[in-house]
């Protein structure tokens, strides 16, 4: 994971534009991402539940570095996208860089 802005980094807004613990959808290159801001960090995840029936993650409940799937209550670690036991699965995550209050997501 890079700590610098690259040609794959996309500006999505300023830190003031995102509310803490409230998900927001951002579409980059046709990909819907769920963006979550906590007191410590900003996370970017694919805005699709890893549950077999799918669904959006942007409406999930945030607690620490976890988001709870709004439809199935699966606990997902926003650092790596892994669903916590007893459930299984993983959602794609994207590196986020904050530089001078500006937020950039690096698409892979």
């Amino acid at each position: 994971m890079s700590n610098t802005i690259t040609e794959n980094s996309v500006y999505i807004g300023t830190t003031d534009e995102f509310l803490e613990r409230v998900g927001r959808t951002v579409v980059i290159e046709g990909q819907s991402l769920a963006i979550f801001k906590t007191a410590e960090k900003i996370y970017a995840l694919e805005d699709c539940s890893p549950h077999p029936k799918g669904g959006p993650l942007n409406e999930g409940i945030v607690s620490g570095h976890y988001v709870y799937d709004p439809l199935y209550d699966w606990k997902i670690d926003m650092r790596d996208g892994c669903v916590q036991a007893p459930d299984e699965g993983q959602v794609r995550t994207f590196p986020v860089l904050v530089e001078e209050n500006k937020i950039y997501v690096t698409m892979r």
Side-chain angles (χ1 to χ4, degrees):
M1 179 165 32
S2 174
N3 286 335
T4 60
I5 298 170
T6 68
E7 68 266 1
N8 295 326
S9 299
V10 179
Y11 172 75
I12 63 166
T14 66
T15 56
D16 297 335
E17 296 175 298
F18 290 81
L19 300 175
E20 217 171 280
R21 298 183 326 184
V22 176
R24 180 169 155 192
T25 300
V26 173
V27 178
I28 301 173
E29 300 171 3
Q31 173 79 52
S32 290
L33 305 181
I35 309 297
F36 297 99
K37 177 182 172 183
T38 67
E40 296 81 33
K41 190 168 176 162
I42 297 175
Y43 299 93
L45 294 87
E46 182 177 18
D47 191 18
C48 184
S49 171
H51 188 278
K53 293 184 179 179
L57 280 182
N58 66 61
E59 296 175 8
I61 297 170
V62 174
S63 178
H65 57 268
Y66 295 101
V67 62
Y68 289 83
D69 183 305
L71 299 176
Y72 309 105
D73 201 35
W74 280 15
K75 183 179 179 182
I76 302 166
D77 190 327
M78 293 188 288
R79 298 173 297 183
D80 59 13
C82 288
V83 175
Q84 305 301 290
D87 302 305
E88 296 178 352
Q90 187 171 16
V91 65
R92 190 172 170 201
T93 61
F94 299 85
V96 175
L97 176 68
V98 178
E99 190 172 279
E100 297 178 5
N101 252 12
K102 296 178 182 175
I103 305 169
Y104 298 88
V105 175
T106 302
M107 303 301 289
R108 299 179 226 165

mmCIF file of all heavy atoms in Angstrom, residues 44-65:
data_model
loop_
_atom_site.group_PDB
_atom_site.id
_atom_site.type_symbol
_atom_site.label_atom_id
_atom_site.label_comp_id
_atom_site.label_asym_id
_atom_site.label_seq_id
_atom_site.Cartn_x
_atom_site.Cartn_y
_atom_site.Cartn_z
ATOM 1 N N ALA A 44 -12.216 2.814 2.623
ATOM 2 C CA ALA A 44 -12.950 2.662 1.364
ATOM 3 C C ALA A 44 -13.126 1.169 1.102
ATOM 4 O O ALA A 44 -12.145 0.427 1.053
ATOM 5 C CB ALA A 44 -12.203 3.318 0.213
ATOM 6 N N LEU A 45 -14.388 0.743 0.951
ATOM 7 C CA LEU A 45 -14.710 -0.650 0.673
ATOM 8 C C LEU A 45 -15.642 -0.713 -0.516
ATOM 9 O O LEU A 45 -16.397 0.235 -0.775
ATOM 10 C CB LEU A 45 -15.433 -1.289 1.869
ATOM 11 C CG LEU A 45 -14.672 -1.450 3.165
ATOM 12 C CD1 LEU A 45 -14.789 -0.198 4.010
ATOM 13 C CD2 LEU A 45 -15.236 -2.619 3.924
ATOM 14 N N GLU A 46 -15.605 -1.826 -1.202
ATOM 15 C CA GLU A 46 -16.576 -2.047 -2.261
ATOM 16 C C GLU A 46 -17.958 -1.972 -1.628
ATOM 17 O O GLU A 46 -18.198 -2.547 -0.567
ATOM 18 C CB GLU A 46 -16.346 -3.414 -2.889
ATOM 19 C CG GLU A 46 -17.266 -3.720 -4.024
ATOM 20 C CD GLU A 46 -16.969 -5.065 -4.669
ATOM 21 O OE1 GLU A 46 -16.289 -5.896 -4.042
ATOM 22 O OE2 GLU A 46 -17.432 -5.270 -5.794
ATOM 23 N N ASP A 47 -18.868 -1.240 -2.243
ATOM 24 C CA ASP A 47 -20.195 -1.024 -1.655
ATOM 25 C C ASP A 47 -21.132 -2.190 -1.992
ATOM 26 O O ASP A 47 -22.200 -2.002 -2.562
ATOM 27 C CB ASP A 47 -20.792 0.300 -2.124
ATOM 28 C CG ASP A 47 -22.033 0.684 -1.324
ATOM 29 O OD1 ASP A 47 -22.234 0.135 -0.230
ATOM 30 O OD2 ASP A 47 -22.794 1.534 -1.810
ATOM 31 N N CYS A 48 -20.698 -3.382 -1.648
ATOM 32 C CA CYS A 48 -21.499 -4.577 -1.889
ATOM 33 C C CYS A 48 -21.200 -5.584 -0.789
ATOM 34 O O CYS A 48 -20.048 -5.972 -0.600
ATOM 35 C CB CYS A 48 -21.184 -5.166 -3.259
ATOM 36 S SG CYS A 48 -22.219 -6.579 -3.655
ATOM 37 N N SER A 49 -22.227 -5.991 -0.082
ATOM 38 C CA SER A 49 -22.058 -6.965 0.988
ATOM 39 C C SER A 49 -21.506 -8.273 0.448
ATOM 40 O O SER A 49 -21.901 -8.735 -0.621
ATOM 41 C CB SER A 49 -23.412 -7.221 1.655
ATOM 42 O OG SER A 49 -23.305 -8.311 2.556
ATOM 43 N N PRO A 50 -20.610 -8.924 1.204
ATOM 44 C CA PRO A 50 -20.115 -10.230 0.790
ATOM 45 C C PRO A 50 -21.127 -11.354 1.063
ATOM 46 O O PRO A 50 -20.887 -12.496 0.709
ATOM 47 C CB PRO A 50 -18.844 -10.410 1.630
ATOM 48 C CG PRO A 50 -19.053 -9.552 2.817
ATOM 49 C CD PRO A 50 -19.905 -8.399 2.358
ATOM 50 N N HIS A 51 -22.252 -11.012 1.663
ATOM 51 C CA HIS A 51 -23.316 -11.996 1.894
ATOM 52 C C HIS A 51 -23.781 -12.538 0.542
ATOM 53 O O HIS A 51 -23.823 -11.787 -0.443
ATOM 54 C CB HIS A 51 -24.483 -11.329 2.627
ATOM 55 C CG HIS A 51 -25.540 -12.275 3.077
ATOM 56 N ND1 HIS A 51 -26.534 -12.723 2.227
ATOM 57 C CD2 HIS A 51 -25.766 -12.867 4.276
ATOM 58 C CE1 HIS A 51 -27.327 -13.548 2.886
ATOM 59 N NE2 HIS A 51 -26.875 -13.658 4.123
ATOM 60 N N PRO A 52 -24.143 -13.824 0.456
ATOM 61 C CA PRO A 52 -24.575 -14.393 -0.836
ATOM 62 C C PRO A 52 -25.712 -13.629 -1.514
ATOM 63 O O PRO A 52 -25.801 -13.623 -2.740
ATOM 64 C CB PRO A 52 -25.019 -15.812 -0.466
ATOM 65 C CG PRO A 52 -24.221 -16.141 0.752
ATOM 66 C CD PRO A 52 -24.073 -14.839 1.501
ATOM 67 N N LYS A 53 -26.560 -12.957 -0.737
ATOM 68 C CA LYS A 53 -27.662 -12.186 -1.329
ATOM 69 C C LYS A 53 -27.255 -10.745 -1.636
ATOM 70 O O LYS A 53 -28.057 -9.989 -2.174
ATOM 71 C CB LYS A 53 -28.872 -12.209 -0.405
ATOM 72 C CG LYS A 53 -29.485 -13.590 -0.282
ATOM 73 C CD LYS A 53 -30.738 -13.551 0.550
ATOM 74 C CE LYS A 53 -31.352 -14.944 0.647
ATOM 75 N NZ LYS A 53 -32.564 -14.952 1.465
ATOM 76 N N GLY A 54 -26.023 -10.350 -1.285
ATOM 77 C CA GLY A 54 -25.532 -9.007 -1.588
ATOM 78 C C GLY A 54 -26.215 -7.917 -0.790
ATOM 79 O O GLY A 54 -26.733 -8.153 0.287
ATOM 80 N N GLY A 55 -26.197 -6.722 -1.332
ATOM 81 C CA GLY A 55 -26.786 -5.558 -0.686
ATOM 82 C C GLY A 55 -25.739 -4.489 -0.445
ATOM 83 O O GLY A 55 -24.539 -4.761 -0.505
ATOM 84 N N PRO A 56 -26.169 -3.260 -0.172
ATOM 85 C CA PRO A 56 -25.228 -2.150 0.034
ATOM 86 C C PRO A 56 -24.584 -2.194 1.416
ATOM 87 O O PRO A 56 -25.186 -2.659 2.374
ATOM 88 C CB PRO A 56 -26.116 -0.916 -0.098
ATOM 89 C CG PRO A 56 -27.446 -1.384 0.391
ATOM 90 C CD PRO A 56 -27.565 -2.815 -0.060
ATOM 91 N N LEU A 57 -23.351 -1.712 1.497
ATOM 92 C CA LEU A 57 -22.682 -1.586 2.788
ATOM 93 C C LEU A 57 -22.725 -0.159 3.325
ATOM 94 O O LEU A 57 -22.552 0.058 4.510
ATOM 95 C CB LEU A 57 -21.210 -2.003 2.681
ATOM 96 C CG LEU A 57 -20.906 -3.482 2.689
ATOM 97 C CD1 LEU A 57 -19.402 -3.707 2.631
ATOM 98 C CD2 LEU A 57 -21.491 -4.156 3.903
ATOM 99 N N ASN A 58 -22.962 0.812 2.453
ATOM 100 C CA ASN A 58 -22.861 2.224 2.860
ATOM 101 C C ASN A 58 -23.819 2.608 3.984
ATOM 102 O O ASN A 58 -23.605 3.590 4.657
ATOM 103 C CB ASN A 58 -23.028 3.162 1.666
ATOM 104 C CG ASN A 58 -24.420 3.105 1.085
ATOM 105 O OD1 ASN A 58 -25.400 3.404 1.751
ATOM 106 N ND2 ASN A 58 -24.519 2.720 -0.179
ATOM 107 N N GLU A 59 -24.866 1.821 4.203
ATOM 108 C CA GLU A 59 -25.817 2.110 5.273
ATOM 109 C C GLU A 59 -25.490 1.356 6.552
ATOM 110 O O GLU A 59 -26.268 1.362 7.505
ATOM 111 C CB GLU A 59 -27.230 1.776 4.803
ATOM 112 C CG GLU A 59 -27.674 2.641 3.640
ATOM 113 C CD GLU A 59 -29.023 2.234 3.094
ATOM 114 O OE1 GLU A 59 -29.707 1.383 3.701
ATOM 115 O OE2 GLU A 59 -29.406 2.772 2.039
ATOM 116 N N GLY A 60 -24.333 0.689 6.577
ATOM 117 C CA GLY A 60 -23.936 -0.102 7.734
ATOM 118 C C GLY A 60 -23.658 0.745 8.966
ATOM 119 O O GLY A 60 -23.432 1.952 8.882
ATOM 120 N N ILE A 61 -23.653 0.071 10.100
ATOM 121 C CA ILE A 61 -23.371 0.720 11.379
ATOM 122 C C ILE A 61 -21.889 0.546 11.680
ATOM 123 O O ILE A 61 -21.367 -0.569 11.654
ATOM 124 C CB ILE A 61 -24.233 0.122 12.501
ATOM 125 C CG1 ILE A 61 -25.708 0.397 12.198
ATOM 126 C CG2 ILE A 61 -23.833 0.685 13.861
ATOM 127 C CD1 ILE A 61 -26.675 -0.333 13.101
ATOM 128 N N VAL A 62 -21.209 1.650 11.983
ATOM 129 C CA VAL A 62 -19.775 1.642 12.232
ATOM 130 C C VAL A 62 -19.507 1.627 13.734
ATOM 131 O O VAL A 62 -20.107 2.386 14.491
ATOM 132 C CB VAL A 62 -19.102 2.878 11.594
ATOM 133 C CG1 VAL A 62 -17.628 2.962 11.966
ATOM 134 C CG2 VAL A 62 -19.278 2.850 10.089
ATOM 135 N N SER A 63 -18.599 0.728 14.120
ATOM 136 C CA SER A 63 -18.137 0.655 15.504
ATOM 137 C C SER A 63 -16.641 0.357 15.463
ATOM 138 O O SER A 63 -16.234 -0.722 15.033
ATOM 139 C CB SER A 63 -18.879 -0.449 16.265
ATOM 140 O OG SER A 63 -18.388 -0.544 17.592
ATOM 141 N N GLY A 64 -15.838 1.337 15.851
ATOM 142 C CA GLY A 64 -14.392 1.181 15.765
ATOM 143 C C GLY A 64 -13.968 1.021 14.318
ATOM 144 O O GLY A 64 -14.319 1.833 13.477
ATOM 145 N N HIS A 65 -13.235 -0.060 14.018
ATOM 146 C CA HIS A 65 -12.816 -0.315 12.636
ATOM 147 C C HIS A 65 -13.670 -1.409 11.987
ATOM 148 O O HIS A 65 -13.250 -2.055 11.032
ATOM 149 C CB HIS A 65 -11.319 -0.644 12.556
ATOM 150 C CG HIS A 65 -10.906 -1.806 13.392
ATOM 151 N ND1 HIS A 65 -10.461 -1.663 14.666
ATOM 152 C CD2 HIS A 65 -10.898 -3.128 13.128
ATOM 153 C CE1 HIS A 65 -10.188 -2.852 15.163
ATOM 154 N NE2 HIS A 65 -10.449 -3.766 14.250
#
